[in-house]
C-alpha cells in the first residue's frame, strides 16, 4: 500500500464535491481476476480518522497541495494536435482546409507515433488521465496511440475514423475494408490492459448508408465497445445531413436508424437539438460530449444545458482539440461556465463550480459507463490523480488563500488555472 497526505477532493454519488482539508489517500493493488497491475483507491478521507488504520503505510506528505481526480476528456482528436488555432469561417471549411490535410499525414506510422507521444505528454501536463479520442481513418494511427498509451498504463479509448464519402483522397476509406479494419482493431486492442475501442463514424455526412449500417452491426456484436461521432454541431452541417438522409426524422435519428445509439455512445456537440432528439438521447442512453471552446472557436452555437437537464440525458466536458483551443480542463470548464451564462440568458442559468468540475471527472466517467472506475477518488476507483498546487502563480496563491468555501476555491482554480496548477499527474499511483 501507499498513501498521500494533502487536501483531498472527490465526489459523492449525487455529484457533490467533498473536500478533506487534511486528507489521506491510500492506494493498493487491485484484487480482481483481471486486476493485472492496476492500482486502486483503498481508502480516502480525513487524515486524523484514517491514519490509525494505516499506521504502517509509508505516507508522502504534500502540505498546501490538493489531490484531485484526473480529468477525463470526453472528446478530442489526437491527430489534430497541430491543427489548434487554424482560422476558418466555420466547421466545413475548417475541415476541408486544415483538418483533412493534417490527418492525411497519419498514413505514416512514424508520424503517428511521434504525434501520439506529444499528445499524451500534453494530456498529462494538463491533468487529463483518460481520453476518448478520435484517431484518423488510417489503422496505423490507432495502433500508434494504443501502443503509446499502453506503455504509460493509461485508460484510453480510441478508434479508426470511418469516412467513405465526401472526404478527399488521403483520408477517405473504402466501405468493406474500413469495417474489416475496425473489427480487427477491436479484437486486437479492446480490453487489453486499460485500453478500449470506439467505433468511430466521423459524422453522418462523411459516411455512406452501407458504412453506417456496418458500424451499427459491429456495435451490436461488441456491446461493450464504445461509439463516438459528431452531431448537430453547425447549421450548414445539419442541413447537409438532412439532404443526405431525408428519411430520418432528424440529424441525430440518422444514427438511431443505423443502430448507433446505445449506452457507451458518445456524441460530440449536440447543439442544434429539439426535445425529440433529447428524448432519444435519454431513451437510448447515449450521451453528449460538450465542447465549449470548440463551439466558440468555430462559431457553432451553445449547448443547451437547461434542455438537457429538463429531458434528462447524460453529458460531460470535452476539449475537442483541434476545433477546441486548449488541452486544459480549466479552460474548458471556464468556457462551459460562459455557455451556461450567455447561451441561456433568458434562463439565467449559472453552472456551479462543483458541477463544472464533476462534468470533467466523475460525471464524464458516468457518461462513459466507467463510474467507479475512473474520474473519482472514492475507494475502488483506479488511482489516477493530480497533485494541484493552488499557489502555483502569485495571483492563484492570493485568490485561493481568500476562498471562504469549497465553491469559491474550485471557481478560483477554474478561472485562474492552467497547466501550471497541475504540479504532478499520477497514473496508477
Ligand atoms: N465533424 C466532423 N469531423 C469533425 C472534426 O474533426 N471536428 C469537429 N469539431 N467536428 C467535426
Ligand atoms: Zn470533434
Amino acid at each position: 500500500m501507499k498513501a498521500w497526505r494533502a487536501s483531498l477532493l472527490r465526489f459523492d454519488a449525487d455529484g457533490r464535491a467533498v473536500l478533506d482539508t487534511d486528507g489521506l489517500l491510500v492506494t493498493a493493488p487491485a484484487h480482481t481476476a483481471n486486476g493485472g497491475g492496476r492500482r486502486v483507491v483503498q481508502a480516502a478521507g480525513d487524515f486524523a480518522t484514517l491514519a490509525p488504520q494505516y499506521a504502517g503505510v509509508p505516507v508522502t506528505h504534500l502540505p498546501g497541495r490538493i489531490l484531485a481526480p484526473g480529468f477525463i476528456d470526453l472528446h478530442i482528436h489526437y491527430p489534430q494536435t497541430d491543427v489548434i488555432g487554424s482560422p476558418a469561417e466555420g466547421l466545413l471549411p475548417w475541415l476541408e482546409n486544415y483538418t483533412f490535410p493534417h490527418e492525411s499525414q497519419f498514413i505514416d506510422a512514424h508520424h503517428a507515433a511521434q504525434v501520439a507521444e506529444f499528445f499524451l505528454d500534453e494530456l498529462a501536463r494538463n491533468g487529463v488521465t483518460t481520453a476518448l479520442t478520435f484517431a484518423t481513418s488510417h489503422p496505423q494511427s490507432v495502433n500508434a496511440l494504443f501502443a503509446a498509451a499502453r506503455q504509460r498504463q493509461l485508460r484510453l479509448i480510441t478508434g479508426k475514423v470511418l469516412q467513405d464519402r465526401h472526404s478527399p483522397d488521403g483520408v477517405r476509406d473504402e466501405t468493406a475494408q474500413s469495417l474489416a479494419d475496425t473489427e480487427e482493431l477491436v479484437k486486437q486492442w479492446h480490453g487489453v490492459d486499460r485500453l478500449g475501442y470506439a467505433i468511430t463514424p466521423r459524422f453522418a455526412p462523411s459516411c455512406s448508408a452501407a458504412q453506417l449500417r456496418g458500424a451499427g452491426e459491429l456495435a451490436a456484436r461488441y456491446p461493450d465497445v464504445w461509439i463516438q461521432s459528431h452531431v448537430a454541431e453547425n447549421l450548414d452541417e445539419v442541413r447537409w445531413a438532412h439532404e443526405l438522409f431525408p428519411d430520418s426524422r432528424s440529424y441525430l435519428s440518422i444514427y438511431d436508424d443505423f443502430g448507433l445509439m446505445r449506452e457507451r455512445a458518445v456524441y460530440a456537440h449536440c447543439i442544434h437539438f429539439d426535445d425529440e432528439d433529447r428524448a432519444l438521447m435519454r431513451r437510448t442512453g447515449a450521451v453528449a460530449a460538450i465542447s465549449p471552446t470548440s463551439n466558440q472557436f468555430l462559431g457553432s452555437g451553445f449547448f443547451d444545458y437547461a434542455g438537457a437537464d429538463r429531458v434528462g440525458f447524460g453529458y460531460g466536458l470535452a476539449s475537442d482539440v483541434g476545433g477546441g483551443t486548449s488541452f486544459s480542463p480549466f479552460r474548458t470548464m471556464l468556457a462551459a461556465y460562459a455557455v451556461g451564462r450567455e447561451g441561456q440568458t433568458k434562463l439565467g442559468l449559472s453552472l456551479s463550480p462543483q458541477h463544472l468540475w464533476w462534468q470533467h471527472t466523475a460525471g464524464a466517467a458516468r457518461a462513459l459507463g466507467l463510474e467507479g472506475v475512473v474520474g473519482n477518488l472514492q475507494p475502488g476507483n483506479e488511482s489516477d490523480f493530480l497533485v494541484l498546487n493552488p499557489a502555483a502563480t502569485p495571483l492563484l496563491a492570493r485568490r485561493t488563500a481568500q476562498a471562504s468555501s469549497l465553491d469559491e476555491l474550485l471557481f478560483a482554480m477554474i478561472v485562474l488555472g492552467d497547466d501550471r496548477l497541475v504540479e504532478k499527474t499520477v497514473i496508477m499511483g
Side-chain angles (χ1 to χ4, degrees):
M1 279 191 277
K2 294 192 228 173
W4 287 261
R5 179 181 180 184
S7 290
L8 179 60
L9 176 70
R10 60 213 155 95
F11 291 88
D12 72 13
D14 298 321
R16 273 189 297 265
V18 180
L19 185 81
D20 297 291
T21 346
D22 183 13
L24 187 71
L25 179 71
V26 183
T27 69
H31 291 299
T32 54
N34 58 356
R38 286 187 319 127
R39 293 184 65 84
V40 295
V41 176
Q42 178 83 19
D46 176 55
F47 175 79
T49 312
L50 290 175
Q53 254 177 284
Y54 297 97
V57 180
V59 180
T60 306
H61 191 192
L62 301 167
R65 305 300 191 266
I66 302 169
L67 306 178
F71 290 108
I72 297 173
D73 195 326
L74 265 190
H75 177 85
I76 185 168
H77 299 251
Y78 101 83
Q80 295 176 16
T81 299
D82 298 330
V83 181
I84 289 190
S86 299
E89 281 163 26
L91 172 67
L92 301 176
W94 175 83
L95 284 172
E96 194 171 316
N97 296 328
Y98 293 103
T99 306
F100 292 152
H102 268 278
E103 292 194 9
S104 70
Q105 298 174 52
F106 285 72
I107 192 160
D108 173 0
H110 294 292
H111 177 73
Q114 190 265 326
V115 177
E117 294 295 346
F118 184 91
F119 171 81
L120 295 178
D121 285 346
E122 200 62 15
L123 291 186
R125 275 186 352 90
N126 285 283
V128 176
T129 50
T130 285
L132 170 59
T133 176
F134 271 51
T136 66
S137 56
H138 317 92
Q140 50 271 44
S141 73
V142 177
N143 289 326
L145 186 63
F146 272 141
R150 189 182 189 191
Q151 197 78 33
R152 298 175 190 227
Q153 291 190 283
L154 287 177
R155 186 166 282 287
L156 180 128
I157 306 164
T158 190
K160 179 207 126 47
V161 174
L162 299 167
Q163 52 181 121
D164 66 352
R165 65 168 172 171
H166 301 134
S167 306
D169 291 350
V171 294
R172 193 178 57 256
D173 59 13
E174 189 276 315
T175 317
Q177 188 64 46
S178 72
L179 298 167
D181 287 345
T182 296
E183 185 159 24
E184 187 57 37
L185 289 164
V186 169
K187 288 184 182 158
Q188 193 183 338
W189 290 108
H190 184 69
V192 172
D193 295 343
R194 302 177 78 200
L195 307 175
Y197 193 84
I199 297 165
T200 308
R202 180 162 213 125
F203 63 158
S206 74
C207 301
S208 65
Q211 195 176 41
L212 290 177
R213 192 170 305 114
E217 285 164 8
L218 287 171
R221 204 171 318 142
Y222 298 97
D224 64 339
V225 157
W226 282 267
I227 298 167
Q228 58 178 344
S229 192
H230 299 91
V231 73
E233 175 178 7
N234 165 288
L235 289 172
D236 292 332
E237 172 216 15
V238 173
R239 267 190 293 276
W240 193 22
H242 275 301
E243 282 165 26
L244 292 168
F245 296 94
D247 296 338
S248 291
R249 191 201 72 83
S250 69
Y251 183 178
L252 181 68
S253 59
I254 298 168
Y255 296 116
D256 191 40
D257 295 343
F258 287 103
L260 289 164
M261 292 195 68
R262 60 155 165 74
E263 290 190 358
R264 296 200 167 198
V266 180
Y267 284 92
H269 309 301
C270 304
I271 295 171
H272 306 287
F273 268 10
D274 59 19
D275 270 357
E276 279 195 57
D277 291 321
R278 296 185 182 100
L280 181 58
M281 294 289 284
R282 188 196 53 208
R283 193 163 65 246
T284 56
V287 297
I290 305 169
S291 307
T293 75
S294 169
N295 299 158
Q296 254 165 7
F297 184 70
L298 293 171
S300 304
F302 297 95
F303 181 79
D304 184 347
Y305 275 99
D309 289 342
R310 188 182 63 245
V311 178
F313 67 85
Y315 54 76
L317 283 173
S319 67
D320 193 30
V321 160
T325 48
S326 175
F327 277 83
S328 176
F330 301 105
R331 295 281 70 77
T332 302
M333 291 187 286
L334 182 58
Y337 178 74
V339 168
R341 263 315 220 220
E342 294 177 31
Q344 277 91 40
T345 41
K346 284 185 302 252
L347 296 157
L349 193 75
S350 187
L351 300 171
S352 75
Q354 300 191 20
H355 186 49
L356 290 164
W357 207 292
W358 177 84
Q359 288 178 59
H360 229 333
T361 53
R366 180 182 291 176
L368 284 174
L370 292 175
E371 189 169 26
V373 179
V374 286
N376 208 342
L377 292 178
Q378 300 288 13
N381 279 259
E382 295 172 348
S383 56
D384 295 341
F385 62 89
L386 313 178
V387 179
L388 302 178
N389 178 7
T393 71
L395 184 56
L396 261 170
R398 189 178 169 91
R399 182 64 190 88
T400 55
Q402 293 176 54
S404 62
S405 68
L406 177 53
D407 268 325
E408 283 189 21
L409 175 65
L410 295 179
F411 207 33
M413 292 193 283
I414 288 170
V415 172
L416 299 173
D418 54 29
D419 51 306
R420 292 168 294 181
L421 179 51
V422 181
E423 188 168 272
K424 198 164 180 213
T425 297
V426 181
I427 301 294
M428 295 278 91

